[in-house]
Amino acid sequence: MKLLKERILKDGVVKAGGILKVDSFLNHQCDIQLYNEMGKEFRRLFPEEITKILTIEASGIGIACVAAQYFGVPVVFAKKSKSQNLDGALYTSVVHSFTYQKNFTITVSKKFISAADKVLIIDDFLANGQALLGLADILSQAGAQLVGAGIAIEKGFQEGGRKLRAMGVNVQSLAVIEAMDEKTILFAN
Amino acid sequence: MKLLKERILKDGVVKAGGILKVDSFLNHQCDIQLYNEMGKEFRRLFPEEITKILTIEASGIGIACVAAQYFGVPVVFAKKSKSQNLDGALYTSVVHSFTYQKNFTITVSKKFISAADKVLIIDDFLANGQALLGLADILSQAGAQLVGAGIAIEKGFQEGGRKLRAMGVNVQSLAVIEAMDEKTILFAN
């Protein structure tokens, strides 16, 4: 997606350790006009019947909620922390976060995903693929259909995308970064 | 707001300990059509010039991002956990969460809020007011103007709303609950 790639080149900052900071428009400050264009593009890429969008807190939520307007479906977001508000029957999956350097148990209430659902996963980043594998695991527990995964930025030089596509998941990333260093960001698509 | 109050009566569940579960439409599964109506109502309640919307992860993000479309401004969300992606100069404030029964340090990058900003805070719940006080503290550190706080559901029988209004904050809640038990939910407005 041209608009997103241009924005990454303009405002993205590559830091040591393979970190791409896009916090000025994607995951700390949120450019809602850009989110809308991304939502339209996700709809174009996934014309299939979708009944729910699934994402994970926190950065995926805004992107998923704006995109959901183009699908006319609710968003469910997996939670990373246990609150006393979360009760009843739950799907859970353990996810390792390289960003936070620890394991999370992600949780979705069984009330909100069923075997009848055709689900699109939306998230801001795909790198090692841990979060997406956890979400896919929850859909599998629910017997729901995973229609695909719409990702804003994929780090193509990390293994997540390859792993998920090898499992047969239809992964569509709006910008795939093939290589990057502090001076250059090179896109694969 | 009639639509939200009707939805709370239809789908809200009151649990022991003063907990109102609205996870089927507001803060786990998200009804995006409802979010849009809430966004329009926030714009009607805050016709002033707004340059940024500030919220806090996780449940505030979706509501704020959909509402932001009616204001034409970016959303900034305060973070609750430290990631290696968060660097540079930061505003921080300590917030006690009664839901999670612990203290959080909430964090906003100084890049995204300045003394020139006129900020609307948006969040899903106002109960004890801790999260809002933390966000207001960050705006005060930035020298930014706090135009007001737009809240989906205020627990009017807890002290947050009273405390913030006494500080002169223009708090507008779409539904204010005066009293509730497992059989009845009574609205103040």
Side-chain angles (χ1 to χ4, degrees):
Chain A
M1 185 191 179
K2 194 162 171 280
L3 187 70
L4 179 60
K5 287 188 279 187
E6 286 171 355
R7 190 61 178 275
I8 294 167
L9 291 175
K10 181 172 166 275
D11 293 327
V13 178
V14 178
K15 297 269 182 182
I19 293 171
L20 173 64
K21 282 180 73 83
V22 287
D23 58 351
S24 65
F25 58 96
L26 198 73
N27 54 17
H28 184 14
Q29 179 166 255
C30 312
D31 181 333
I32 305 301
Q33 279 180 300
L34 176 65
Y35 277 23
N36 266 291
E37 295 305 318
M38 289 164 48
K40 285 180 208 166
E41 183 66 6
F42 284 134
R43 173 81 273 194
R44 193 185 68 77
L45 292 166
F46 296 101
E48 298 94 331
E49 188 195 356
I50 306 282
T51 64
K52 296 246 163 121
I53 289 175
L54 178 65
T55 188
I56 181 165
E57 63 180 30
S59 316
I61 298 174
I63 298 166
C65 285
V66 171
Q69 298 175 123
Y70 300 96
F71 292 85
V73 301
V75 170
V76 176
F77 62 87
K79 305 211 170 195
K80 282 179 181 168
S81 4
K82 278 240 154 137
S83 94
Q84 49 167 306
N85 292 357
L86 209 55
D87 58 6
L90 302 171
Y91 302 115
T92 64
S93 190
V94 175
V95 168
H96 181 74
S97 164
F98 290 88
T99 309
Y100 290 89
Q101 296 169 342
K102 63 176 179 179
N103 287 333
F104 291 100
T105 298
I106 65 169
T107 307
V108 172
S109 168
K110 289 196 177 179
K111 288 183 292 186
F112 304 133
I113 304 280
S114 80
D117 279 315
K118 300 169 197 295
V119 180
L120 174 65
I121 293 175
I122 285 187
D123 207 359
D124 59 338
F125 264 97
L126 170 58
N128 296 286
Q130 296 299 305
L132 249 69
L133 288 167
L135 295 174
D137 176 35
I138 280 174
L139 293 179
S140 157
Q141 292 173 43
Q145 185 189 334
L146 170 51
V147 176
I151 303 296
I153 303 176
E154 177 178 342
K155 290 178 172 170
F157 53 91
Q158 288 183 255
E159 63 182 343
R162 194 184 44 71
K163 209 185 290 179
L164 282 149
R165 289 182 184 98
M167 288 166 57
V169 179
N170 179 13
V171 179
Q172 299 285 346
S173 302
L174 304 184
V176 179
I177 295 172
E178 192 169 281
M180 61 183 201
D181 61 30
E182 280 159 53
K183 282 179 189 154
T184 319
I185 297 173
L186 190 68
F187 294 104
N189 55 354
Chain B
M1 184 189 179
K2 195 162 170 280
L3 187 69
L4 180 59
K5 287 188 279 186
E6 287 172 353
R7 190 62 177 274
I8 294 167
L9 291 176
K10 180 172 164 278
D11 292 325
V13 178
V14 179
K15 297 268 182 182
I19 294 170
L20 173 62
K21 283 181 72 82
V22 287
D23 59 350
S24 65
F25 59 95
L26 199 72
N27 54 16
H28 184 15
Q29 179 166 256
C30 312
D31 180 333
I32 306 301
Q33 278 180 303
L34 176 65
Y35 277 24
N36 266 292
E37 295 305 318
M38 288 164 49
K40 284 180 208 166
E41 183 66 6
F42 284 133
R43 175 79 273 194
R44 194 185 68 78
L45 293 166
F46 297 101
E48 298 96 330
E49 189 195 354
I50 306 283
T51 64
K52 294 245 163 125
I53 290 175
L54 178 64
T55 189
I56 181 165
E57 63 180 32
S59 316
I61 298 174
I63 298 167
C65 285
V66 171
Q69 299 175 122
Y70 300 95
F71 292 85
V73 300
V75 170
V76 176
F77 62 87
K79 305 211 171 196
K80 283 180 181 168
S81 2
K82 278 240 155 138
S83 94
Q84 48 168 307
N85 292 356
L86 209 55
D87 59 5
L90 302 171
Y91 302 115
T92 63
S93 189
V94 175
V95 168
H96 181 74
S97 165
F98 289 89
T99 309
Y100 290 90
Q101 296 170 340
K102 63 176 179 182
N103 286 333
F104 291 101
T105 298
I106 66 169
T107 307
V108 172
S109 169
K110 288 195 178 179
K111 288 183 292 185
F112 305 133
I113 304 280
S114 81
D117 279 314
K118 300 170 196 296
V119 180
L120 174 64
I121 294 175
I122 285 186
D123 206 359
D124 59 337
F125 264 97
L126 170 57
N128 295 286
Q130 297 299 305
L132 250 68
L133 288 166
L135 295 173
D137 176 35
I138 281 175
L139 293 178
S140 158
Q141 292 173 42
Q145 185 190 333
L146 171 51
V147 176
I151 303 296
I153 303 176
E154 177 180 342
K155 289 177 171 171
F157 53 90
Q158 287 182 254
E159 64 181 343
R162 194 185 43 71
K163 209 185 288 179
L164 282 149
R165 289 182 185 99
M167 289 166 57
V169 179
N170 179 14
V171 179
Q172 299 285 346
S173 302
L174 304 184
V176 178
I177 294 171
E178 192 170 281
M180 61 183 202
D181 61 31
E182 281 157 55
K183 281 179 189 153
T184 318
I185 296 174
L186 190 67
F187 294 104
N189 55 355

